[in-house]
Amino acid sequence: MLTPLADGPGVPPRSALRDLSHPITDGMPVYPGDPPVHVGAALDLDRDGVAVTGLQMGSHTGTHIDAPSHTIAGGRTMADVTLDELLGDALVVRVRALAEGEVYGWERLNAEHPLPDRLPPIVVIDTGWARWFGDARAVRHPALDAGAASELVARGMRILAVDTLSPDPTGTSSGAFPVHEVVLGRGGLIVENLCGLDDLPSPVQIGFFPLRLGGDGAPVRAVAFL
């Protein structure tokens, strides 16, 4: 049996890491209209000598990051996003007891604790809606007001991270994405479908580690360093 690697200098103990990502599984829920997810055996160990899994999915599968080019013509792609942008101090803002489809604004963001004049680069909004991932209620999630998003950016936020399918309403007939326009339009990034936010301390360091895709977004492994 292999001996697990010991924690060394500069390496956080395993108990100090928390995965904030949904697992990618065959047939998992996706944003309405996105490509379905297929995960299955491509090569078999007994038949082919190796086991290889085939993957088919969209760039915005599961816990993922949106690059500006996702909604902004001529915006940055993931090829333009540097790793140091994806790791840093985060403020966790808890906005619970929201109704289905409720749009929450600046007052709700400040209800538990007043937000500082200068924010860290990452702001995580915990609505508690991650518990409905895969349920019909997932698409009826609460949404952030665009004016509040604008104020977050003005105070220094560079990455908006949410535990819902989107910070904007999902499935509206208008097809508008006002929060995306605010955050991505100013060169920022959005992370969607976080989980594991219950009792996550604030402030905290968080890293988002995407597949090295060069387009409009990518699945990420989101990790909190406790």
Side-chain angles (χ1 to χ4, degrees):
M1 175 181 290
L2 292 176
T3 301
L5 292 175
D7 299 319
V11 178
R14 285 164 179 77
S15 61
L17 301 176
R18 182 182 297 185
D19 196 339
L20 308 178
S21 322
H22 289 285
I24 294 178
T25 59
D26 186 59
M28 72 182 296
V30 296
Y31 191 89
D34 274 16
V37 179
H38 297 296
V39 181
L43 297 177
D44 179 78
L45 185 60
D46 291 334
R47 183 188 66 225
D48 304 301
V50 293
V52 174
T53 300
L55 303 174
Q56 183 178 350
M57 61 185 184
S59 56
H60 297 263
T61 293
T63 307
H64 67 273
I65 190 166
D66 294 352
S69 62
H70 180 45
T71 61
I72 305 298
R76 291 195 303 159
T77 69
M78 289 304 299
D80 303 312
V81 176
T82 60
L83 285 175
D84 59 350
E85 293 181 68
L86 302 174
L87 174 66
D89 293 331
L91 182 71
V92 181
V93 182
R94 292 196 160 81
V95 190
R96 296 298 187 98
L98 294 167
E100 292 184 2
E102 180 178 346
V103 176
Y104 56 93
W106 191 247
E107 184 176 345
R108 292 300 297 269
L109 292 178
N110 285 271
E112 186 170 295
H113 300 290
L115 298 184
D117 292 337
R118 191 65 185 171
L119 292 168
I122 302 170
V123 173
V124 176
I125 300 180
D126 173 20
T127 68
W129 222 257
R131 68 188 184 277
W132 303 124
F133 188 76
D135 187 273
R137 281 167 284 195
V139 298
R140 302 194 293 270
H141 61 82
L144 179 63
D145 172 69
S150 183
E151 182 62 26
L152 292 173
V153 173
R155 296 190 182 204
M157 180 191 73
R158 298 296 296 161
I159 299 179
L160 171 64
V162 297
D163 60 353
T164 51
L165 290 173
S166 171
D168 288 304
T170 293
T172 60
S173 57
S174 68
F177 301 97
V179 173
H180 283 73
E181 297 298 313
V182 167
V183 178
L184 303 185
R186 299 182 193 177
L189 304 164
I190 295 175
V191 175
E192 296 162 334
N193 291 327
L194 287 180
C195 62
L197 300 180
D198 292 339
D199 74 16
L200 187 68
S202 180
V204 65
Q205 275 214 328
I206 293 180
F208 303 111
F209 305 105
L211 293 178
R212 196 168 181 179
L213 301 177
D216 47 79
V220 301
R221 194 72 177 263
V223 179
F225 299 84
L226 304 180

